[in-house]
Amino acid sequence: MSTKSKTAPTRARSAIAAAMDAATVPKPEQAPVPGRRVAKAPAKSASSPARRVGVALERAQTELATEPTDANPLLARVAAYEHIALVLQGGGALGAYQAGVVQGLAEAGIQPTWVAGISIGSIHCAIIAGNPPHLRAPRLREFWHRVTQQPVLPPTLWEQEPWVSLLPEDALPWMAPLQSLRALAEGQKGFFVPRALPGIGPDQASVYDTSPLRATLEELVDFDRLNNGEMRVSVGAVNVRTGNLEYFDTTEQRLGPEHFMASGALPPGFPAVRIGDDLYWDGGLVSNTPLTQVLGGHPHAHTLVFQVDLWSAQGDAPRNLSEVGERVKDIQYSSRTRAVTDILERAHEQRSILRGLLAQIPPAGRSRDPLYSQVEEMARDKRYNVIHLIYKDKPYDGQDKDFQFGRATMRAHWNSGLHTVQRTLAHTHWFDLPSADRPFVTHDVHRQDAAD
C-alpha cells in the first residue's frame, strides 16, 4: 500500500476537524472599503453555527473524496500537471454547453488553475474565477437561469419550471425560432435590452444596451477574489482603433466587469466598451479561440488543457439558404481550433528535436556560448495535453443558434456539455502526462466515436 493511501484516514480526520473549527469560529467584522460593494448579510438561519458546520463538513468531505489517491486513478493522473487550463470559445447562447462541462469537471474533482475566454467564454471565466470551487457551477446555473428570461413579456408555459424539464428535445425544433425571435425583440433579462434608437457615440452606437450585464457580473462575481492570484484569468478583445486582438490578464493588471463586457461586445448588436483610452469589441472578430494565449510562447509548465469549443469547423455542405448562414458562422467562429492545435503540436515536436541537439554539446562548450541558455529555455521539457470538447449541432439548431436563449434550449446545451465531459473523463488513460519524445498530445471523444 502506498504512503498516500495509508495517510488518507488521518488527513480526513484532520481536514474535517479543521473545517468544523473554521465553521464555528465567527469571522471578525471588517471595516467597509471605500468604493467597494458590500454584499448583504445572509439571514441568521443560514449562518447559524449548525449550518456552518454542515456546510464545512460537506466541503471537506467532497475535497477528500476527490483526492488523487490510488483509488482515484483519474485525479492521480491530473495531479502530474502543473497547470490545468480551461479554454472557452465565444458562442452566445451556445455557451450553456460550457457550463455543463464546468459542472462535470467539478463533480470529478478537477478545478482549473487558469481560465481563458472570448465573449460568452470570458463571462464564464469571470464567474468561475470570481467564486470558490463549490459555488462555481451553481453561480453559472444562476447566470443562465437569469439570462434565459425575457425582460418584457412573460414566458410561455413550457419555458417555466417545472414544465420545461418535461419538454422533450423533439419539441425544440419548433420552439427554437420563437426563442430567437423573442431575444431579438425583447433582449434577455440581466444581459441586454433593445435601444429605442441607436444613439451617437461609441457607447450608444448599437442595437442593444448591455448595462444589465454589468449589474449581473457585479452581483455574481467577487472581483477581489478573481484578482487575488489564486487562478490566472485571460480574456481577449479587439482594439477598435488598431484592429488587433489584445488579452487582459490578471498576471498583468486588475480586471473588472468592463474587461469581460469588452470581450463580448459583438457589433453592431453590442456597443464598444471603453478601457482606459481605447475602445474594444468582441475578441471573436479576430480569433474566437484563446488557445494560443495558453499554449503559445516558450513552454513554462506541464499543462492539461480543456478546450471547449462551441463551433465545429467540420460540417456537412449546406442544402438551403438557412443552412448556408449556419455553416458560414461555424467556419467563421470555429477559429480552426484543430488547425491551430496541429501547428502547436509541430512546434513542440521541433523543441524535442532541439533538446536532443543541445544534449550533444559538450558541457564546456555550453558555458562559453551565450546563446545556449536562450535556446535551452526555448526547448524546455514541458508537456501539453489538449482535451477537445466540441459542441455538436442538434436538429433544432439553425443560423440563429447563438441567440436562441430559451430555457429549454439552454437545458439541452448544458446537458450536452455535461454528457460530453463525462464520456471524456471515462477515458482515464487520456490524462497520462505525455512522454518527453511526444510532448504534445490531443484527445477528442468525438474522433474516438468516429474511429469506433
Side-chain angles (χ1 to χ4, degrees):
M1 183 182 295
S2 68
T3 303
K4 187 179 293 185
S5 298
K6 288 179 181 179
T7 59
T10 302
R11 289 199 310 276
R13 287 192 294 270
S14 300
I16 293 174
M20 292 180 67
D21 290 341
T24 54
V25 175
K27 296 181 179 179
E29 294 185 359
Q30 296 180 345
V33 177
R36 181 182 299 173
R37 296 176 69 252
V38 179
K40 295 181 179 180
K44 290 184 178 180
S45 58
S47 60
S48 65
R51 174 61 178 159
R52 290 199 302 270
V53 170
V55 172
L57 281 171
E58 180 180 352
R59 293 178 193 169
Q61 290 167 344
T62 300
E63 291 172 2
L64 290 165
T66 55
E67 283 189 330
T69 65
D70 292 342
N72 195 326
L74 173 63
L75 291 186
R77 287 169 164 83
V78 171
Y81 296 90
E82 299 166 86
H83 281 312
I84 300 174
L86 187 60
V87 178
L88 305 175
Q89 263 192 355
L94 297 174
Y97 175 86
Q98 295 173 343
V101 170
V102 173
Q103 178 186 342
L105 293 177
E107 290 176 352
I110 300 173
Q111 298 293 348
T113 61
W114 187 356
V115 288
I118 299 285
S119 198
I120 192 67
S122 73
I123 293 173
H124 288 158
C125 289
I127 296 173
I128 293 167
N131 285 283
H134 69 285
L135 287 181
R136 289 166 187 165
R139 284 287 184 271
L140 286 170
R141 188 170 294 279
E142 186 176 347
F143 170 79
W144 280 101
H145 272 251
R146 178 175 305 187
V147 303
T148 51
Q149 301 178 63
Q150 280 73 31
V152 182
L153 298 177
T156 61
L157 176 65
W158 288 107
E159 292 285 43
Q160 301 181 55
E161 304 292 353
W163 306 111
V164 68
S165 61
L166 304 176
L167 189 70
E169 194 164 302
D170 293 343
L172 291 179
W174 58 266
M175 287 194 64
L178 174 63
Q179 294 168 355
S180 55
L181 285 174
R182 292 195 65 174
L184 290 174
E186 301 175 50
Q188 298 296 145
K189 188 174 181 179
F191 199 165
F192 60 92
V193 292
R195 298 184 188 277
L197 288 172
I200 302 298
D203 59 340
Q204 299 288 326
S206 64
V207 179
Y208 300 96
D209 175 11
T210 56
S211 56
L213 176 59
R214 174 181 284 274
T216 297
L217 288 171
E218 290 176 341
E219 181 178 344
L220 297 182
V221 177
D222 180 347
F223 284 93
D224 287 336
R225 183 185 188 97
L226 184 149
N227 288 283
N228 68 7
E230 177 183 341
M231 181 184 297
R232 183 175 178 181
V233 183
S234 308
V235 293
V238 173
N239 187 306
V240 177
R241 179 178 54 84
T242 66
N244 294 329
L245 178 64
E246 299 178 14
Y247 279 94
F248 306 117
D249 197 299
T250 51
T251 62
E252 301 173 355
Q253 64 191 117
R254 179 180 174 84
L255 303 188
E258 62 277 8
H259 296 93
F260 300 93
M261 294 176 67
S263 182
L266 184 63
F270 297 163
V273 176
R274 183 174 296 279
I275 299 175
D277 296 329
D278 287 310
L279 293 164
Y280 291 88
W281 274 333
D282 192 304
L285 292 175
V286 171
S287 175
N288 202 32
T289 301
L291 189 62
T292 53
Q293 174 70 3
V294 175
L295 298 183
H298 299 334
H300 60 281
H302 295 323
T303 305
L304 173 64
V305 179
F306 290 94
Q307 167 71 27
V308 191
D309 289 352
L310 303 177
W311 307 88
S312 178
Q314 298 181 354
D316 297 329
R319 297 167 297 178
N320 52 54
L321 282 178
S322 176
E323 291 182 1
V324 168
E326 180 183 5
R327 189 74 193 108
V328 167
K329 278 189 176 181
D330 283 337
I331 295 172
Q332 179 180 359
Y333 292 121
S334 69
S335 296
R336 295 157 294 282
T337 301
R338 282 175 174 156
V340 173
T341 304
D342 290 342
I343 293 172
L344 293 170
E345 183 175 5
R346 286 194 293 272
H348 282 273
E349 289 173 350
Q350 292 166 359
R351 290 188 178 100
S352 179
I353 295 171
L354 190 57
R355 285 197 301 274
L357 293 173
L358 290 175
Q360 299 181 29
I361 299 176
R366 300 175 187 178
S367 59
R368 291 195 301 267
D369 192 337
L371 289 178
Y372 180 86
S373 60
Q374 298 179 34
V375 177
E376 185 180 38
E377 181 183 356
M378 293 174 56
R380 279 187 296 180
D381 180 19
K382 296 298 180 182
R383 295 89 180 272
Y384 291 81
N385 185 350
V386 179
I387 307 295
H388 279 151
L389 301 158
I390 305 175
Y391 173 77
K392 295 297 182 180
D393 287 345
K394 303 297 187 294
Y396 51 84
D397 286 335
Q399 62 178 327
D400 55 355
K401 59 187 176 184
D402 50 333
F403 54 93
Q404 290 174 4
F405 279 96
R407 182 69 57 82
T409 303
M410 180 274 290
R411 277 178 171 267
H413 293 336
W414 186 300
N415 291 334
S416 178
L418 178 61
H419 180 59
T420 301
V421 75
Q422 288 172 339
R423 289 168 53 216
T424 299
L425 296 177
H427 296 271
T428 308
H429 64 283
W430 284 359
F431 297 86
D432 288 333
L433 185 70
S435 60
D437 59 341
R438 194 187 174 201
F440 192 108
V441 299
T442 63
H443 298 285
D444 181 349
V445 71
H446 298 294
R447 280 185 171 179
Q448 180 68 31
D449 292 343
D452 294 342

